[in-house]
Amino acid sequence: MPGPDFPGAESFLPPRRSLPSLATAVQGCRGCDLYREATQAVFGDGSADARLVLVGEQPGDAEDRAGEPFVGPAGRVLDRALEEAGIAREQVWVTNAVKHFRFTQQGKRRIHESPSRWQVAACQPWLLAELDALRPEGLVLLGATAGKALLGPGFRVGASRGRVLEPLPTRQEWVVATIHPSAVLRARERDELYAGLTADLAVARERLAGRG
């Protein structure tokens, strides 16, 4: 059992696991406690024929309200980095390891709080079903939570980022790890971190082009 009194997401997945059916069913998920405070579940979005999937941590405040992934400040950083790396946003799929927003209320503000290990584990069936429906060639893992969700608790961004990792315990052929775009927003050395994010995304572009 992923956590106390919650069964995990597996029993909430639909029998037919297409992207539309998953996107509908995830709104009824009660596999962990995060549904209680979040506005809605946020499923992935993008091209259903994407060769590349980008996986983040969880929705932020803007995503929770809009019901779409990566539409807030971190999403704008990602959009710019993708463009500079030569990857068309409309040709990829973006999603998160956890589908509900975890936060702490401070007055009128909702402050991001990282999901716990058991919440990530509880939500993993949604991510695996999503990837199984998409069948992309490669993944870009944005940050430690995404990496641990798919590669295990020993994953470290610093030790893995910026190079092609293979083989994987999933159906994808390869993965590239990098920082989460929100790390750029929090950093003092924003230009340096942003350049690193863009360079890591370019590694994925090169692999897609058959040059990596």
Side-chain angles (χ1 to χ4, degrees):
M1 181 175 291
D5 302 322
F6 291 92
E10 186 65 41
S11 62
F12 297 94
L13 267 65
R16 182 175 179 271
R17 298 179 183 182
S18 65
L19 291 173
S21 66
L22 289 167
T24 298
V26 73
Q27 299 302 329
C29 186
R30 303 294 182 264
C32 77
D33 59 336
L34 293 183
Y35 79 92
R36 291 174 169 172
E37 302 297 330
T39 304
Q40 59 195 315
V42 180
F43 197 64
D45 187 46
S47 171
D49 298 319
R51 297 170 60 203
L52 183 67
V53 172
L54 284 73
V55 183
E57 181 192 72
Q58 66 169 357
D61 181 74
E63 290 79 9
D64 174 73
R65 298 180 190 278
E68 299 177 30
F70 287 98
V71 295
R76 290 190 287 273
V77 172
L78 180 61
D79 285 350
R80 184 160 60 96
L82 284 169
E83 182 178 2
E84 293 187 15
I87 300 173
R89 169 73 183 259
E90 63 271 15
Q91 294 180 358
V92 303
W93 184 271
V94 291
T95 192
N96 285 295
V98 173
K99 306 306 186 190
H100 285 103
F101 179 35
R102 188 185 191 196
F103 61 92
T104 300
Q105 192 78 40
Q106 293 186 7
K108 294 184 178 180
R109 298 180 63 202
R110 302 191 301 173
I111 307 302
H112 165 275
E113 186 176 350
S114 294
S116 69
R117 180 182 293 185
W118 79 264
Q119 287 164 339
V120 174
C123 206
Q124 188 190 54
W126 289 113
L127 179 58
L128 294 180
E130 191 174 9
L131 293 177
D132 194 46
L134 286 160
R135 302 290 181 91
E137 293 178 23
L139 306 177
V140 173
L141 304 179
L142 302 168
T145 298
K148 290 177 180 179
L150 288 174
L151 301 181
F155 173 84
R156 298 290 183 272
V157 174
S160 304
R161 65 176 295 186
R163 56 192 177 89
V164 176
L165 305 175
E166 55 185 343
L168 290 177
T170 65
R171 295 188 179 186
Q172 285 64 58
E173 296 179 7
W174 51 271
V175 65
V176 171
T178 188
I179 60 172
H180 194 282
S182 63
V184 176
L185 298 173
R186 296 192 301 266
R188 291 184 177 180
E189 302 295 333
R190 288 190 179 186
D191 290 345
E192 181 179 344
L193 261 69
Y194 176 77
L197 170 63
T198 303
D200 293 342
L201 291 172
V203 171
R205 180 205 65 212
E206 290 294 304
R207 182 57 186 262
L208 283 175
R211 297 191 293 268

